[in-house]
Amino acid sequence: MKKVLFETVIGLEIHIQSKTKSKMFCSCNAEYFEAEPNSHTCPTCLGLPGALPVPNKKAIDLCIKTALSLNCRINKETKFDRKNYFYPDLPKGFQISQYDKPIGIDGVLEVETEEGFKAIRITRVHQEEDTGKSTHTNGLTYLDYNKSGVPLIEIVTEPDFRNKQEVTSFAKSLKQLVKYLNVSDANMEKGQMRFELNISLRKIGEKNLPSYKVEVKNIGSISVLEKVIDFEIMRQESILTSGSIPTQETRGLRDMTGETYSQREKESESDYRYFPEPDIPLISISDDHIESIRKEIPELPYSKKARYIKDYHLDKKIAQILSSKPGIYLEFEQLIANSSTKIVPEIAKLYTGEYFAIQKTNKRHKEFKLEWLIDLCQLIIDGRLTRSTVKDVLLKSYLNGTSPIETVEKEDLGIVTDSEVLEQIINEVIINNPKVIEDLNKNSNAIMFLVGQVMRQMKGQADPNIIQKLIKTKLGINTK
Ligand SMILES: [Zn+2]
């Protein structure tokens, strides 16, 4: 039987917890991690009768900022709606969300894939509140409403993903973006970023969306998200291959292996009986307000990376590391603020290479100054320090709080320019390696072995190019 080839169709819904002091519709503390259960609650977030919600302006501004960064149009008039369903962790019997007038619509996020950049369309970005948390154990259910009413930004994509790599790339870019914007810490271990996957398969070549859709909710990590995709592709492929169509349903996550199980037939929008939240009036967002938020948006990771490559001719990998998070790019930009463009690549290399490595495992002396990295690069460029000794000098500066120049002088780590010492070592190496000298006729690369021997005896404190020249002169090889 001829094997039918399928294509994956995936859409994502992402919930991101905004970084606000208080909850979405009350003044309770929104920071609930490890807090005593039910200690951050009030009549509003407990859903008691008569309590009225008051929208959190800061949360709405963070949602606008996220929507703008995802290239969305902002609805000048936005409103909140009630999404009705019953669940013990939802004491009101409804969640305040947004239905037909979300804050942002029609956006796009470009993500890097194996085949280059791909634009993923963003359907909507809206503001809502989180529910409480139920814990089932020993036949009992415990309810904690500290999380109830915490602001959540929901981002919904079009079904534009065709494979796992695109989804992963998007998830990582989005996580980086909201952290960059300081909208959220997006800490997945703390549940601050959660995914909902909509996945189905169609025959390759088919243009229409599949007739069914499987939803998997509450995926708390990118690695589990990948496993769920693998599992669902296999499961749905076997159903389709046998001639049936997978059921349209919501599936639960069995465990961290990504295996899913049937939970319930998927709700449709009408099951939620959405209607406008009568306790919150329409919210108008002025052009001026949108522009003032737009101005706060920093240069975003992808643009920054591209600019580093273009302006400073940095290696792609180094530019990627440098633009990955504010803690890094702010320090780097401060470091290069007064340097000439010529020295920047050397600084970038030293900063992300030797400096990062040293910083990871050593304690920084309080006198150590970051700008010493510039001095170190200057020493390399001036030929006073070799790349092989630079780490040594930097480590000593880092631990002792002495400047590189002082360290080089004190520890005698600079390049040896005394040619008598060098010549003596070169002579010894030539005498001790007759076989290699013989090989030189057949294999000119053998000279590198000799250079290595000399470098080793000089403990890296010599310029390999000068050594090579001196050896060639000694052996009467044409140096051109
Ligand atoms: Zn409250």
Side-chain angles (χ1 to χ4, degrees):
M1 198 171 81
K2 203 175 148 231
K3 195 174 182 317
V4 187
L5 293 174
F6 295 102
E7 176 178 65
T8 319
V9 179
I10 295 174
L12 285 182
E13 285 175 29
I14 308 101
H15 283 102
I16 292 166
Q17 196 184 97
S18 322
K19 220 170 156 178
T20 55
K21 283 200 180 75
S22 55
K23 293 188 180 178
M24 189 60 218
F25 300 110
C26 61
S27 55
C28 290
N29 187 347
E31 178 56 69
Y32 60 84
F33 191 69
E34 284 181 344
E36 176 76 16
N38 298 307
S39 59
H40 295 187
T41 55
C42 73
T44 304
C45 55
L46 285 175
L48 301 185
L52 290 173
V54 178
N56 181 332
K57 181 175 180 291
K58 167 89 180 175
I60 293 176
D61 284 351
L62 292 180
C63 187
I64 296 174
K65 197 182 218 179
T66 307
L68 286 172
S69 305
L70 290 169
N71 307 294
C72 286
R73 279 192 290 122
I74 304 296
N75 264 325
K76 302 274 180 57
E77 202 163 67
T78 187
K79 78 181 215 303
F80 285 99
D81 300 273
R82 289 188 180 182
K83 179 180 180 181
N84 300 279
Y85 65 94
F86 174 75
Y87 206 73
D89 63 17
L90 187 69
K92 294 197 289 278
F94 61 86
Q95 180 188 24
I96 305 180
S97 180
Q98 295 198 283
Y99 182 56
D100 55 340
K101 284 187 173 173
I103 288 178
I105 47 169
D106 296 338
V108 68
L109 179 65
E110 289 223 349
V111 295
E112 217 166 348
T113 70
E114 280 161 4
E115 286 90 38
F117 281 92
K118 176 168 177 175
I120 303 295
R121 290 170 299 156
I122 309 287
T123 319
R124 57 191 277 143
V125 174
H126 75 242
Q127 184 63 53
E128 60 182 35
E129 58 174 340
D130 208 345
T131 60
K133 186 182 174 213
S134 38
T135 310
H136 312 282
T137 172
N138 299 330
L140 288 169
T141 295
Y142 295 90
L143 290 159
D144 175 11
Y145 293 108
N146 283 348
K147 192 163 75 76
S148 169
V150 164
L152 286 184
I153 296 173
E154 180 170 330
I155 296 158
V156 182
T157 77
E158 290 291 307
D160 285 346
F161 303 97
R162 292 292 165 270
N163 56 53
K164 184 171 73 178
Q165 285 73 27
E166 291 174 4
V167 173
T168 310
S169 177
F170 179 89
K172 285 182 179 165
S173 297
L174 187 62
K175 183 181 175 196
Q176 187 187 42
L177 178 76
V178 292
K179 284 174 82 171
Y180 237 69
L181 296 171
N182 207 19
V183 158
S184 171
D185 288 332
N187 185 330
M188 298 198 202
E189 269 130 49
K190 290 186 181 177
Q192 293 170 345
M193 185 173 187
R194 278 118 65 185
F195 302 94
E196 221 171 286
L197 180 74
N198 285 305
I199 179 166
S200 44
L201 303 184
R202 67 181 171 200
K203 280 183 196 151
I204 280 189
E206 229 164 70
K207 288 279 166 279
N208 294 335
L209 287 177
S211 60
Y212 73 98
K213 191 161 78 174
V214 170
E215 184 182 70
V216 187
K217 286 187 170 183
N218 268 324
I219 304 171
S221 86
I222 295 177
S223 64
V224 174
L225 181 63
E226 289 180 329
K227 288 177 190 155
V228 174
I229 294 173
D230 285 340
F231 178 84
E232 276 302 311
I233 291 176
M234 265 181 29
R235 188 184 71 85
Q236 294 180 22
E237 206 169 71
S238 82
I239 296 173
L240 288 163
T241 312
S242 74
S244 309
I245 291 178
T247 315
Q248 167 127 341
E249 61 181 348
T250 298
R251 295 181 69 84
L253 203 57
R254 199 178 295 285
D255 49 34
M256 293 300 123
T257 60
E259 197 177 314
T260 67
Y261 64 95
S262 179
Q263 235 174 4
R264 56 183 181 264
E265 294 213 353
K266 199 181 158 0
E267 302 89 348
S268 66
E269 268 181 8
S270 58
D271 293 328
Y272 289 124
R273 296 179 294 110
Y274 277 99
F275 65 85
E277 166 58 60
D279 293 332
I280 304 174
L282 283 176
I283 295 172
S284 299
I285 307 172
S286 72
D287 285 333
D288 284 352
H289 191 61
I290 295 173
E291 284 321 303
S292 74
I293 292 177
R294 201 191 295 278
K295 277 197 195 105
E296 283 173 17
I297 298 174
E299 183 182 29
L300 296 175
Y302 172 67
S303 322
K304 199 177 272 298
K305 180 181 159 189
R307 183 170 63 82
Y308 284 166
I309 293 171
K310 185 170 165 277
D311 291 1
Y312 305 126
H313 307 286
L314 296 189
D315 175 79
K316 206 173 151 194
K317 229 170 151 183
I318 290 178
Q320 169 78 36
I321 299 171
L322 288 170
S323 59
S324 62
K325 45 186 163 185
I328 293 179
Y329 78 71
L330 288 173
E331 194 171 63
F332 172 68
E333 287 182 5
Q334 187 196 342
L335 188 60
I336 62 166
N338 299 312
S339 308
S340 78
T341 324
K342 261 195 200 102
I343 197 175
V344 172
E346 195 68 58
I347 297 174
K349 207 162 137 192
L350 187 66
Y351 176 67
T352 56
E354 288 88 348
Y355 178 70
F356 274 17
I358 286 173
Q359 204 193 21
K360 235 184 227 165
T361 46
N362 296 280
K363 201 171 170 284
R364 176 177 172 154
H365 192 282
K366 62 179 190 319
E367 297 286 318
F368 178 82
K369 293 186 180 68
L370 194 67
E371 59 263 32
W372 284 347
L373 295 187
I374 305 173
D375 299 345
L376 270 172
C377 291
Q378 201 55 54
L379 286 171
I380 300 173
I381 289 169
D382 294 346
R384 291 181 59 195
L385 208 58
T386 59
R387 271 228 83 89
S388 49
T389 46
V390 77
K391 191 171 177 183
D392 229 14
V393 178
L394 180 57
L395 179 63
K396 289 197 162 88
S397 286
Y398 194 85
L399 295 175
N400 307 328
T402 49
S403 78
I405 294 173
E406 218 181 311
T407 310
V408 166
E409 279 164 9
K410 223 160 97 186
E411 308 273 341
D412 208 12
L413 285 166
I415 281 184
V416 176
T417 44
D418 181 352
S419 61
E420 260 180 48
V421 178
L422 247 184
E423 263 189 62
Q424 202 186 331
I425 292 175
I426 289 173
N427 282 339
E428 277 169 27
V429 167
I430 290 175
I431 291 166
N432 295 334
N433 292 285
K435 186 87 184 42
V436 183
I437 311 284
E438 227 181 274
D439 281 355
L440 267 177
N441 298 325
K442 289 172 272 169
N443 174 15
S444 59
N445 283 333
I447 199 157
M448 291 321 290
F449 175 79
L450 300 175
V451 173
Q453 292 294 308
V454 177
M455 281 294 280
R456 211 163 73 185
Q457 293 209 36
M458 298 290 298
K459 299 195 172 62
Q461 288 172 249
D463 185 329
N465 293 321
I466 294 176
I467 297 174
Q468 200 182 128
K469 254 189 209 157
L470 286 172
I471 296 175
K472 281 181 174 170
T473 318
K474 276 256 168 291
L475 296 173
I477 300 169
N478 189 0
T479 52
K480 283 172 212 159

